[in-house]
Amino acid sequence: MPVDREQRLWDWERTAQPYLLAASLLFLTSYTVRVLVPDLSPGWQTWWELVTLVTWGFFLVEYLARLAFSNDRRHFLRTRWLDLIVTVLPLLRPLRIVDMHERMQRRRDHPRLVLEARVMAYTAITSLLLGFAASLAVYHDERTAPGANIHTFGDAVWWACSTLTTTGYGDATPVTPRGRVVAVALMFVGVALVGAVVGSFSSWLLRRFRQDGET
Amino acid sequence: MPVDREQRLWDWERTAQPYLLAASLLFLTSYTVRVLVPDLSPGWQTWWELVTLVTWGFFLVEYLARLAFSNDRRHFLRTRWLDLIVTVLPLLRPLRIVDMHERMQRRRDHPRLVLEARVMAYTAITSLLLGFAASLAVYHDERTAPGANIHTFGDAVWWACSTLTTTGYGDATPVTPRGRVVAVALMFVGVALVGAVVGSFSSWLLRRFRQDGET
Amino acid sequence: MPVDREQRLWDWERTAQPYLLAASLLFLTSYTVRVLVPDLSPGWQTWWELVTLVTWGFFLVEYLARLAFSNDRRHFLRTRWLDLIVTVLPLLRPLRIVDMHERMQRRRDHPRLVLEARVMAYTAITSLLLGFAASLAVYHDERTAPGANIHTFGDAVWWACSTLTTTGYGDATPVTPRGRVVAVALMFVGVALVGAVVGSFSSWLLRRFRQDGET
Amino acid sequence: MPVDREQRLWDWERTAQPYLLAASLLFLTSYTVRVLVPDLSPGWQTWWELVTLVTWGFFLVEYLARLAFSNDRRHFLRTRWLDLIVTVLPLLRPLRIVDMHERMQRRRDHPRLVLEARVMAYTAITSLLLGFAASLAVYHDERTAPGANIHTFGDAVWWACSTLTTTGYGDATPVTPRGRVVAVALMFVGVALVGAVVGSFSSWLLRRFRQDGET
């Protein structure tokens, strides 16, 4: 029965969530260590590379298993397209956690937070994690590039903040092609961040007006 | 009968759409090739210039024909002002396709996507195409300008992204008058892009609240 | 009778509007000529300075006359605070025209344009005129300042556009205190411009939803 | 009785507000003097340092006293988290005044201003005070830093305005870690400022539509 299988997929996703969360934290840690501590001893280097590979493999296997066992693969691919992206680019996995949490909340009858508070919380977490991931990725590419003006991880974080808020000082900007691709992605995340803040605010204002009007 | 003629104009526009789309892709291709491959052999150079001219001529003829056969020319000029702009500046033709698609969707009873998803899709396509056209135009003007800091097409794309998101790093900016006119246009497109993202988001939030309140 | 006097003030404002509009165009022209053509012959120089002074005097007299004849001066000062600002800083007078037009429209029963179209039109006119005035003022102050990077009027317009859209490239920025005061004012106008575009857009989206829901 | 104690806390907060306001103005003055007049005579130096310490001590004692006397400390910590922040960072105290004023307004039946006007007024005051505090803090850190481009207090104010509006010219940017932390905070305040302006505007537009529809 399809409904049954959908339910089992759903149960599986709920059960697997903590393990996937642990795996993505491990992945993030291994990537962070490898970028921020470049002069590791060869043993540790190998160890952290292994962690990166194993966690990535785990994501891949988990995604393919779910795809294989789903009774309607097209529907799975269409509704879980975010899963495919975060499987290929595990640094974006934070997005998946937010999405999963949101879907769980929607299933309950009474979510603990109103919609705007949830939107703001998700926006804050997403910005923080994507900003951190982008800082790491850009620092990784830029630190040895000729003519770069991002020399320390602090510079990279500074650049990420100025990009996320669409301020764009321009005193620290990536110069390598890969760094610029990350930067363009972060700029659009920044536009979305502004959109979420503004949208929540105007929605909250309008709802308060309606409440005032009703009493 | 006016209604009849309006209907025929409408039918004609629907029939002509795929040909116009093909012609604008040809125009864009010829412009792209001429800008990105400056050392073409004279034969190819002439060929692509011919393609540019013929497609432009086609747009012009099509617009004038529609104007001539419309039974209320003032109404035609007023409701199809976008057509005039994209006929003079064919690089802006993407806007026309989006507009045509939107009018077709509105005619149907049940558009396939909700309004916000359509707005986001049109915004994404418009940004992509206008950003690409602006990158081409700016690269064309700046690459040989003295004191320019946009030397490669990659620089131009990088500049276009930072302009569209209103980030404005300033590490790559046009210095020629024509390049700056394109840049100013793109900045206002960027403001509109932010507006579309933010507006869709706050509209979506408010509708979800209303749905939650109704159930 | 107070209502009668209020009505007479209102009639006067409607009658005076075209003359004030002509005077502000004259003022703008004289300021423009004096800034953009610095090597005028002494005769023309005196002439345009005279035009500036006379129009400014006209604004001042008109404002004071209305204040003197109003039956409730506090109410006048509170509801016409914009008039005071544009009398002291006549370059901001465009704002007054927009405000006057809006008040006239509101008095009629059926304004010719829907609210969002009016907001967009006012926003466009205000941005254009304030951007032009700011370009003039900044060019006036910066062109002879040491270490300035705004050398031509074109640079000033380029700077004004990049400021109004909150892009802020930073390749042309004022360095003199007066120029920076103008720039700060223009930045906040830019935030308001973004606000007007975004607000109109989300309001338009929500209204279309409501209309779709009603039919 | 809990309600009674809550009422007494409330009364106390209302009574203490003018003293806290005076103390925060004293704190701001002492900080301003110490930053802007670095070559004070030792006597005045000691005096202003004393003022800083005493006012800070006053804030701390007031907060701890309220915490000690509250009947539900968890609830106190949760609903007054802003108080904790402004006690640790007294330069942010302006936020508390705005918050207190808002809570007082909400208690009354008829606030004197509509919600949007209040939001705009709070936004303006918050931006002004936070922008001023950030200018002071950044000027304090940057003026002696090697390679800095913020040399005068005017530069710091200029930088703060360009950051608050998310324009981000980049001709004056902090280079020290502490200055950059302040800058990042101000960028997010800038995003919130844009959000408040845009949200108020779209809310005002929508309400006007509804009013027009009802009459």
Side-chain angles (χ1 to χ4, degrees), chain C residues 97-175:
Chain C
I97 295 161
V98 163
D99 173 66
M100 180 59 95
H101 190 255
E102 173 66 15
R103 268 196 280 150
M104 299 240 153
Q105 288 274 324
R106 250 188 280 170
R107 284 211 120 195
R108 291 197 208 169
D109 282 347
H110 298 292
R112 261 173 308 186
L113 285 167
V114 288
L115 186 52
E116 281 123 1
R118 246 150 65 215
V119 166
M120 290 310 293
Y122 296 154
T123 305
I125 296 171
T126 308
S127 304
L128 203 73
L129 284 171
L130 288 186
F132 182 66
S135 302
L136 280 177
V138 161
Y139 173 57
H140 186 55
D141 285 349
E142 296 288 320
R143 100 190 116 182
T144 54
N149 41 28
I150 295 176
H151 304 292
T152 65
F153 185 61
D155 288 344
V157 170
W158 168 246
W159 159 82
C161 287
S162 119
T163 302
L164 264 177
T165 56
T166 76
T167 307
Y169 284 130
D171 55 348
T173 48
V175 294

Side-chain angles (χ1 to χ4, degrees), chain A residues 127 154-155 157-158 161-162 164-172 193-194 197-198 201-202 204-206 208-210 212, chain D residues 102 106 115-116 119 159 163 166-170 173-174 180 183-184 187-188 191 195-196 198-200 202-203 206-207:
Chain A
S127 305
D155 288 344
V157 170
W158 168 246
C161 287
S162 118
L164 264 177
T165 57
T166 76
T167 308
Y169 284 129
D171 55 347
L193 160 70
V194 173
V197 170
V198 172
F201 199 85
S202 66
W204 173 82
L205 267 180
L206 272 167
R208 271 204 48 186
F209 268 113
R210 213 165 299 157
D212 289 4
Chain D
E102 173 65 15
R106 248 188 281 170
L115 186 52
E116 281 123 3
V119 166
W159 158 83
T163 301
T166 76
T167 308
Y169 284 129
T173 47
R180 286 186 168 183
V184 167
M187 282 176 208
F188 285 95
V191 170
V198 172
S200 306
S202 66
S203 159
L206 272 168
R207 277 198 317 126

Side-chain angles (χ1 to χ4, degrees), chain C residues 12-48:
Chain C
W12 160 254
E13 284 181 341
R14 208 190 317 200
T15 317
Q17 208 193 359
Y19 301 100
L20 284 168
L21 181 58
S24 41
L25 288 182
L26 256 178
F27 182 88
L28 197 60
T29 310
S30 69
Y31 188 75
T32 308
V33 168
R34 282 169 55 215
V35 169
L36 292 192
V37 195
D39 47 351
L40 283 169
S41 72
W44 279 110
Q45 180 98 27
T46 317
W47 162 251
W48 285 116

Side-chain angles (χ1 to χ4, degrees), chain C residues 102 115-116 159 163 166-170 173 180 183 187 195 198-199 202 206, chain D residues 155 158 161-162 165-169 171 197-198 201-202 205-206 208-210:
Chain C
E102 173 66 15
L115 186 52
E116 281 123 1
W159 159 82
T163 302
T166 76
T167 307
Y169 284 130
T173 48
R180 285 185 169 183
M187 280 176 210
V198 172
S202 65
L206 272 167
Chain D
D155 288 344
W158 169 246
C161 287
S162 119
T165 56
T166 76
T167 308
Y169 284 129
D171 55 347
V197 170
V198 172
F201 198 86
S202 66
L205 267 179
L206 272 168
R208 271 203 50 185
F209 267 112
R210 214 167 297 156

Side-chain angles (χ1 to χ4, degrees), chain A residues 2 31-32 35 45 48 62 66 73 82 85 100 114 131 137 139-140 167 192 212:
Chain A
Y31 188 74
T32 309
V35 169
Q45 181 95 28
W48 286 115
E62 197 268 350
R66 274 195 295 150
R73 270 164 219 178
L82 192 62
I85 296 177
M100 180 57 96
V114 289
Y139 174 57
H140 185 55
T167 308
D212 289 4

